[in-house]
Amino acid sequence: MALFKKRTVGKPGEWYYCLEHQKVEEGPDCPGRDRFGPYASRTEAEHAMQTARERNLEWENDPRWHDASSAGGADGDRDD
């Protein structure tokens, strides 16, 4: 018997979106590295990928995350 068991964190009533299985799960079904959440409802978890896309788009267009030194080249190369 193992002295320390690696346990999945989560509780029943918490909803997650599993990235590996691409489905909504309640409670601690899959490891934390493979899921988004917890969400308060099943519906929120069902929309996890859409929420992530929206947040990524907001981040990509947020001028606070783009410094002047990387804005110079269209190909992403910087002259350091």
Side-chain angles (χ1 to χ4, degrees):
M1 179 166 88
L3 182 58
F4 297 101
K5 274 184 132 175
K6 195 171 191 179
R7 299 184 69 185
T8 307
V9 178
K11 298 178 233 171
E14 292 180 335
W15 295 92
Y16 299 88
Y17 183 81
C18 176
L19 300 168
E20 185 173 331
H21 299 111
Q22 298 181 357
K23 67 176 188 166
V24 173
E25 300 174 341
E26 182 181 14
D29 288 343
C30 289
R33 69 177 180 272
D34 295 332
R35 65 182 186 219
F36 285 159
Y39 295 96
S41 69
R42 180 178 190 87
T43 304
E44 286 182 38
E46 288 171 348
H47 294 98
M49 294 304 294
Q50 179 62 32
T51 302
R53 279 190 290 275
E54 290 170 1
R55 289 178 180 168
N56 285 342
L57 187 59
E58 287 175 21
W59 176 80
E60 289 169 1
N61 294 311
D62 187 341
R64 295 175 296 173
W65 292 101
H66 298 284
D67 59 8
S69 64
S70 64
D75 59 2
D77 290 339
R78 292 179 15 184
D79 296 328
D80 289 334

